[in-house]
Amino acid sequence: MDIKEKHVLGLSGGRDSAALAVYMRQNFPEFEIDYFFTDTGKELPEVYEFLGRLEGFLGKPIRQLNPDRDFDFWLKQYNSFLPSPQARWCTRQLKLRPFEQWIRPLLESGIKVYSYVAIRSDEEYREGYTSRHKNLKVRLPFKEAGIDKAGVLEILEGSGLGLPDYYSWRTRSGCTFCFFQQKIEWVRLMEQHPEAFEEAKAYEKNAVEHGSPFTWSQGESLEELTRPERIEQIKEEHTRRIERMRIKQQVNPLRPDGEPLDIDDLYGQAKVCLACHK
Ligand code: SF4
């Protein structure tokens, strides 16, 4: 029988896409969904562990899409300049390109590809999530079903999967050295994964030596950011933000201790990309 359509769901190693996979499995078991993860090679170990747990729940392997060329290759192509919000070559080359290489032949052969994306009902629908090929259909099941952040947490808890382990210190998936990290996340990366932090520092040093205008974190190098007095300042500022947010937050009777606060709740939503952080 000729295949006329295909269903795919990209996992970032983050909370929302995992909850969407659980939701689709529970509510639309009739769809044969290909779950995939695009590996930049610079992911946290907790991401692989979480995806392993998710595979157990889904009862099928998650397809791993590896970029044909790694971060170091692309870094050289970009003259050792670090990727940044203004020049996000990393997402383009390491996340989107492998996906396109995978589905392009399917689309060209006339197969309709349905891609399920984890935009929640409490999030804005931004342009750019729409498809650029007539056979690629983007679906937003959480938006359609009115599932918000609390709903996502319920799905993960109810399934027994829970949150990825990195949630105890960072609320986003993505590369260890992602430039979308807030200063507090850099401090925590240093504490939790000192080797990954040292690697990021080395990339930064090399970039600056090659004339890169970007450091990983805006306005200061990682060397400067991790001076003891600076660390203390960053931690104090972070605690103050949490206190302010807790005062503003309405108490949910089902969660008297409050919902876990995302970094985006505290620092405002960054224009991060779905492939990396959802
Ligand atoms: S997680 Fe950050 S550094 Fe990694 S590909 Fe995505 S935007 Fe780039």
Side-chain angles (χ1 to χ4, degrees):
M1 192 181 71
D2 275 354
I3 302 173
K4 297 265 174 351
E5 55 186 50
K6 193 171 181 66
H7 301 264
V8 302
L9 194 160
L11 297 157
S12 64
R15 179 189 66 193
D16 293 356
S17 58
L20 183 60
V22 171
Y23 176 82
M24 293 305 291
R25 177 90 185 74
Q26 289 172 333
N27 293 278
F28 301 96
E30 68 277 19
F31 291 158
E32 188 53 48
I33 298 182
D34 263 13
Y35 301 97
F36 68 93
F37 168 66
T38 320
D39 190 347
T40 62
K42 300 291 177 183
E43 313 279 341
L44 292 165
E46 292 98 317
V47 163
Y48 300 109
E49 188 274 331
F50 186 58
L51 291 176
R53 273 194 275 152
L54 183 58
E55 270 184 341
F57 176 88
L58 298 170
K60 65 189 287 189
I62 293 166
R63 180 191 287 262
Q64 197 136 331
L65 298 179
N66 292 315
D68 50 355
R69 307 192 196 266
D70 64 8
F71 180 82
D72 291 334
F73 171 86
W74 290 111
L75 187 64
K76 274 207 198 98
Q77 301 302 304
Y78 290 90
N79 299 324
S80 295
F81 282 23
L82 299 178
S84 69
Q86 296 79 18
R88 219 160 80 192
W89 55 259
C90 48
T91 313
R92 170 92 225 103
Q93 308 296 4
L94 301 171
K95 288 275 180 187
L96 302 180
R97 202 172 122 102
F99 174 66
E100 286 165 7
Q101 282 174 342
W102 174 42
I103 61 159
R104 196 180 307 121
L106 303 171
L107 297 170
E108 297 300 325
S109 72
I111 295 174
K112 272 204 174 61
V113 178
Y114 292 90
S115 173
Y116 296 90
V117 176
I119 308 281
R120 304 185 314 252
S121 65
D122 57 329
E123 291 179 308
E124 257 178 64
Y125 178 78
R126 288 189 233 124
E127 274 177 65
Y129 299 163
T130 43
S131 149
R132 267 176 262 139
H133 193 288
K134 69 176 175 19
N135 285 339
L136 177 64
K137 311 283 174 200
V138 177
R139 293 274 183 270
L140 310 174
F142 283 164
K143 272 256 173 228
E144 284 163 26
I147 294 173
D148 59 6
K149 181 173 147 191
V152 159
L153 293 171
E154 254 173 62
I155 291 171
L156 289 177
E157 269 173 39
S159 68
L161 197 64
L163 291 168
D165 284 350
Y166 58 77
Y167 258 71
S168 59
W169 61 276
R170 164 172 163 170
T171 57
R172 284 200 203 120
S173 51
C175 301
T176 52
F177 47 55
C178 183
F179 45 81
F180 283 119
Q181 286 179 95
Q182 297 293 340
K183 311 241 179 224
I184 186 71
E185 293 178 299
W186 280 109
V187 170
R188 288 173 174 170
L189 178 69
M190 182 190 72
E191 292 169 350
Q192 298 288 330
H193 293 289
E195 61 312 319
F197 185 84
E198 286 308 316
E199 185 187 43
K201 234 161 96 174
Y203 277 127
E204 184 178 76
K205 193 163 173 285
N206 178 53
V208 170
E209 281 166 9
H210 280 82
S212 165
F214 307 117
T215 43
W216 287 121
S217 184
Q218 221 187 348
E220 60 191 333
S221 67
L222 294 182
E223 193 77 53
E224 289 162 328
L225 189 147
T226 47
R227 279 178 290 120
E229 62 280 14
R230 181 71 180 118
I231 291 179
E232 208 177 315
Q233 204 181 28
I234 291 169
K235 285 186 171 175
E236 278 170 10
E237 159 65 8
H238 185 66
T239 308
R240 274 198 299 277
R241 275 181 192 254
I242 293 179
E243 282 162 2
R244 282 201 299 270
M245 188 56 80
R246 288 275 179 232
I247 293 168
K248 272 205 263 167
Q249 228 182 16
Q250 285 182 346
V251 178
N252 174 348
L254 297 174
R255 288 178 182 274
D257 296 335
E259 272 175 14
L261 290 171
D262 289 356
I263 285 291
D264 286 350
D265 298 331
L266 294 167
Y267 293 86
Q269 200 172 15
K271 291 213 169 0
V272 295
C273 107
L274 291 169
C276 306
H277 300 289
K278 261 290 160 188

